[in-house]
């Protein structure tokens, strides 16, 4: 049976993520002057809420650009051509920052791990210890590697980098909201996220938290660029305006999204994502499908990458989920295209959605001729949910 056209389609990809009504409806509001007192009031609300999301007292720059723009801003504002950047790579996105750095004329040193693994603290410590001449000016790594679903140990990496003295640059594009992130407490210098991920928003905005050491590095940079320039943007934001015309309606949507997220609470939203991760992993394992990231502790709470049953085509699975059940899951990227599918559980996703995708996945596999015991995935996910909630309430009692 094909889905009738009136059935809303449901995105379970790691961004863009589903839009809550309050966030979606803002887009039909009348035009607003970006220098108006009304818009200034919006920015007065939004900037401190962004700081809360990153757990920082430092400025969080709001760019009308996708997250890649903010990453470029982080590199070009703090490093000079010829400076050495250490890139910890564990998938498509972290590797991309190496390519970007080369395009900006930086000298790139890379530590890569196979797809499905997280970077290790040992290899980072080794590279930093070997750098006796302090050539490494900054280290960039990804919090949650969206292409594989691997999760890096942000506080441990940030500590090692701070001890060496290099700047730490964290791509927390799909980490923030799903996993704890404490910019100031963990001593992170630059952190980047984007609107279409855990922020439950339309694409088009990115957020760049700039710590004091990053700001000091910026003062020494010869060519920090213009549009993304820290000095220009920080000056404007300190007066609750923006340096250039921003995407006004996206910022109105951000105001609504931040209200929803902060009403839920940082810890609660992290727990929700971790619970969903446990449920998806348990469900998929119960069907007998291998996970790309084997170790639970190295698995992202935002997205889970799954291998199809032997001989079954990822495209066919995704097609049935889309056409029969109106659910979109993501394909693999680059070398993993057609080899894995990725279930997003980031943003406005809840337990119900996980039960739904798992039950529909079983049906899709059955339709494709796989041997599936119907109902096992949902049952395993229910167990995982109960176990997670019990552990959480025990933890609360012992606190
Ligand atoms: C971890 C990570 N970093 C960076 C990006 C790039 O973000 P954008 O496409 O918003 O530029 C993405 C996008 O999926 C991502 O998942």
């Amino acid at each position: 049976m094909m889905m009738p056209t009136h059935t809303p389609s449901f995105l379970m990809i790691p961004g863009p993520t589903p839009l809550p009504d309050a966030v979606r409806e803002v887009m039909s509001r009348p035009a607003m002057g970006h220098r108006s007192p009304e818009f200034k009031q919006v920015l007065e609300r939004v900037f401190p809420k962004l700081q809360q999301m990153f757990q920082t007292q430092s400025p969080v720059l709001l760019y009308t650009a996708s997250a890649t723009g903010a990453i470029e801003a982080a590199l070009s504002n703090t490093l000079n051509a010829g400076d050495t950047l250490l890139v910890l790579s564990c998938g498509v996105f972290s590797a991309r920052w190496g390519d970007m750095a080369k395009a900006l004329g930086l000298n790139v040193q890379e530590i890569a791990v196979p797809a499905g693994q997280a970077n290790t603290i040992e290899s980072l410590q080794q590279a930093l210890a070997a750098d006796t001449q302090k050539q490494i000016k900054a280290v960039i790594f990804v919090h949650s590697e969206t292409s594989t679903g691997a999760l890096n140990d942000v506080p441990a990496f940030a500590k090692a980098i701070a001890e060496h003295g290099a700047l730490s640059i964290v791509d927390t594009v799909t980490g923030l909201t799903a996993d704890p992130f404490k910019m100031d407490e963990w001593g992170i210098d630059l952190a980047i996220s984007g609107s279409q991920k855990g922020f439950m928003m339309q694409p088009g905005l990115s957020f760049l938290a700039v710590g004091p050491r990053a700001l000091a590095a910026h003062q020494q940079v010869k060519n920090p660029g213009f549009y993304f320039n820290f000095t220009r943007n920080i000056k404007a934001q300190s007066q609750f305006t923006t340096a250039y015309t921003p995407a006004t309606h996206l910022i109105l949507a951000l105001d609504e999204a931040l209200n929803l997220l902060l009403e839920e609470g940082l810890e609660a939203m992290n727990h929700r994502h971790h619970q969903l991760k446990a449920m998806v992993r348990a469900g998929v394992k119960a069907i007998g499908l291998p996970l790309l990231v084997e170790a639970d502790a190295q698995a992202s709470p935002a997205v889970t990458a799954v291998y199809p049953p032997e001989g079954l085509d990822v495209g066919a699975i995704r097609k049935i989920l889309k056409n029969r059940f109106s659910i979109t899951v993501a394909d693999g990227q680059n070398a993993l295209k057609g080899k894995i599918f990725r279930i997003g559980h980031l943003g406005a996703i809840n337990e119900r959605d996980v039960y739904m995708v798992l039950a529909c996945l079983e049906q899709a596999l059955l339709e494709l001729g796989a041997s599936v015991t119907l109902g096992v995935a949902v049952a395993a996910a229910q167990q995982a949910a109960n176990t997670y909630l019990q552990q959480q309430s025990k933890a609360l009692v012992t606190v």
Side-chain angles (χ1 to χ4, degrees), residues 129-333:
D131 181 36
T132 49
Q133 301 299 309
K134 301 282 182 208
Q135 291 294 311
I136 298 172
K137 297 289 178 245
V139 183
I140 188 165
F141 62 95
V142 78
H143 183 174
S144 151
E145 173 49 71
T146 319
S147 66
T148 64
L151 184 76
N152 274 329
D153 187 347
V154 179
F157 292 9
K159 185 165 180 275
I161 298 163
E163 280 165 8
H164 166 280
L167 294 175
S168 51
I169 309 176
V170 188
D171 166 351
T172 184
V173 172
T174 54
L176 199 65
T177 72
D179 200 45
F181 190 85
K182 300 178 182 182
M183 167 106 176
D184 290 357
E185 190 180 318
W186 295 345
I188 294 160
D189 297 303
L190 293 143
I192 299 99
S193 200
S195 56
Q196 78 276 23
K197 307 289 188 179
F199 283 81
M200 320 184 291
M201 270 190 64
Q202 301 83 351
L205 295 179
S206 49
F207 320 116
L208 169 53
V210 183
R213 279 171 14 97
L215 207 51
H218 166 67
Q219 313 298 345
Q220 307 302 320
V221 159
K222 292 186 200 87
N223 184 15
F226 195 89
Y227 181 76
F228 292 118
N229 187 295
F230 281 1
T231 305
R232 288 174 170 273
N233 284 279
I234 289 176
K235 184 171 174 227
Q237 285 197 199
S238 68
Q239 293 155 11
F240 297 102
T241 185
T242 52
Y244 314 104
T245 313
T248 47
H249 281 57
L250 291 181
I251 295 174
L252 295 176
L254 176 62
D255 191 22
E256 298 292 341
L258 288 168
N259 285 346
L260 295 175
L261 289 169
L262 292 170
E263 197 176 274
E264 180 180 13
L266 297 178
E267 266 185 54
M269 83 180 76
N270 296 159
H271 275 305
R272 173 168 55 84
H273 286 93
H274 276 268
Q275 184 191 330
L276 299 182
K277 157 186 153 178
M279 292 169 64
V280 171
R281 287 176 70 80
V284 165
K285 274 194 226 164
I287 304 177
L289 304 184
L291 295 165
L292 176 61
V293 179
E294 285 171 13
D296 285 340
Q298 289 188 4
S300 169
V303 56
T304 299
V306 184
Y307 286 107
E310 207 142 316
L312 281 201
D313 181 37
V314 162
I317 298 170
R318 293 180 62 236
K319 199 162 161 190
I320 295 175
L321 286 176
K322 178 87 190 281
N323 293 344
R324 184 170 159 196
F325 300 110
S326 231
I327 298 172
T328 304
V329 298
D331 199 345
Q333 288 173 278

Side-chain angles (χ1 to χ4, degrees), residues 11 75 84 90 110 143 152 162 165 178 211 308 331 354 391 396:
L11 281 181
L75 298 183
T84 297
C90 59
E110 189 178 6
H143 183 174
N152 274 329
D331 199 345
V354 170
Q391 282 167 353
L396 286 177

